[in-house]
Amino acid sequence: MDQSPNSRRQFVKNTAAGLGLLTLPWLLNAQGNIAAAKKKIVCVGGHPDDPESGCGGTLARLAAQGHDVTIIYLTTGEAGIPGTANDEAARIRKQEAINACKILNTKPIFAGQIDGATIADNAALKHLHTLIADEKPDVVFTHWPVDSHKDHQVASLLTMQTWVRSSNKFTLYFFEVCTGEQTMIFMPTDYVDISDTQEQKKKAVYCHTSQDPPGIYACGHASMEDFRGREAGVRAAEGFVRMTGKGMGMIVL
């Protein structure tokens, strides 16, 4: 029996496909009929600019492959422009998010929570659960739960609880933002090569002019893309942690 690394990797891919599991490596490297099958991707972020900076390169790649990609912004960034009233800040940041989604070829949805005052109660869970369920996702991305920003934690918790309570399980991935300052103790299980979409991601981030885009990259995102790329053996990459449990991630050999 061929025990080469390529043979073993292909065996794992085939086994995962037989079990109906949809992982990032399988989705991004699928060939033939599987590649032609359109999937639904959802990303849940705390504020406008979080999904773009955390996994914009991956979302752009998935959209370019013909998959439907939706970004759900938990808040509209009401508290994100010092000296500006919440309503006006929300208007500005909503338009910035819409502009960024046009660059990434994604659809924006705004969940209606308030920046800096997010809530994780049963009503909030029901609302987000409904928004995600309406999209019928195959893959969902959200914040890593160990994060210094409580809005990021709330987005992660509500998405995780949606995953736990969903009868039709989607594959759940966590992304990182501003690692070391916000995201903490993050050790990726999966990597996505964003060498070809790195500039597209940067253009999307730079749509958020009210948020000082150079400052976003100075918060470690440029070095993150470089470091994750070094780990993955490519020029630039984004790292993710894949959720397991409830039968997800199990491969029977």
Side-chain angles (χ1 to χ4, degrees):
M1 181 177 178
D2 183 0
Q3 291 295 318
S4 68
N6 287 338
S7 175
R8 288 195 295 271
R9 278 196 294 269
Q10 189 61 46
F11 176 74
V12 171
K13 286 183 179 180
N14 291 341
T15 305
L19 290 172
L21 303 180
L22 188 62
T23 65
L24 275 177
W26 175 254
L27 184 61
L28 289 166
N29 296 300
Q31 303 294 325
N33 292 333
I34 292 176
K38 182 181 288 189
K39 301 299 181 183
K40 190 57 187 280
I41 315 299
V42 170
C43 179
V44 180
H47 318 91
D49 79 34
D50 286 330
E52 295 89 332
S53 60
C55 58
T58 298
L59 299 181
R61 271 198 65 179
L62 290 167
Q65 290 184 346
H67 303 295
D68 289 329
V69 183
T70 296
I71 296 177
I72 299 176
Y73 298 98
L74 186 65
T75 78
T76 319
E78 292 80 357
I81 307 178
T84 303
N86 278 10
D87 289 349
E88 178 62 9
R91 184 192 65 78
I92 293 170
R93 298 197 66 188
K94 182 176 184 179
Q95 188 58 55
E96 291 174 346
I98 291 170
N99 295 343
C101 284
K102 287 179 181 177
I103 288 175
L104 296 176
N105 297 311
T106 61
K107 179 181 76 173
I109 292 177
F110 299 90
Q113 289 220 38
I114 304 301
D115 182 8
T118 52
I119 297 171
D121 61 10
N122 288 336
L125 174 57
K126 181 179 179 181
H127 181 56
L128 187 65
H129 189 292
T130 299
L131 290 178
I132 292 175
D134 285 349
E135 296 298 311
K136 299 179 175 59
D138 298 291
V139 176
V140 173
F141 298 95
T142 195
H143 289 276
W144 176 243
V146 186
D147 193 289
S148 63
H149 200 306
K150 70 182 186 67
D151 291 345
H152 297 177
Q153 293 180 355
V154 170
S156 183
L157 174 60
L158 293 177
T159 306
M160 281 193 291
Q161 280 298 309
T162 295
W163 179 84
V164 168
R165 295 160 190 257
S166 295
S167 55
N168 296 320
K169 282 289 182 287
F170 47 80
T171 305
L172 178 59
Y173 281 94
F174 301 102
F175 61 81
E176 56 183 332
V177 291
C178 199
T179 290
E181 293 184 39
Q182 293 185 349
T183 298
M184 297 174 281
I185 59 170
F186 188 85
M187 300 180 66
T189 60
D190 293 83
Y191 298 84
V192 174
D193 181 355
I194 64 164
S195 300
D196 292 337
T197 56
Q198 188 178 26
E199 284 306 309
Q200 186 179 358
K201 170 185 178 176
K202 189 171 185 177
K203 288 179 181 178
V205 172
Y206 268 70
C207 285
H208 297 276
T209 55
S210 70
Q211 300 305 295
D212 179 26
I216 293 175
Y217 273 91
C219 188
H221 286 282
S223 57
M224 285 160 54
E225 293 170 14
D226 176 73
F227 181 67
R228 297 308 182 199
R230 291 173 184 272
E231 289 184 313
V234 297
R235 181 170 61 80
E238 291 169 339
F240 300 89
V241 173
R242 181 162 65 94
M243 184 71 150
T244 59
K246 293 282 186 177
M248 300 295 290
M250 181 178 65
I251 295 179
V252 181
L253 300 179

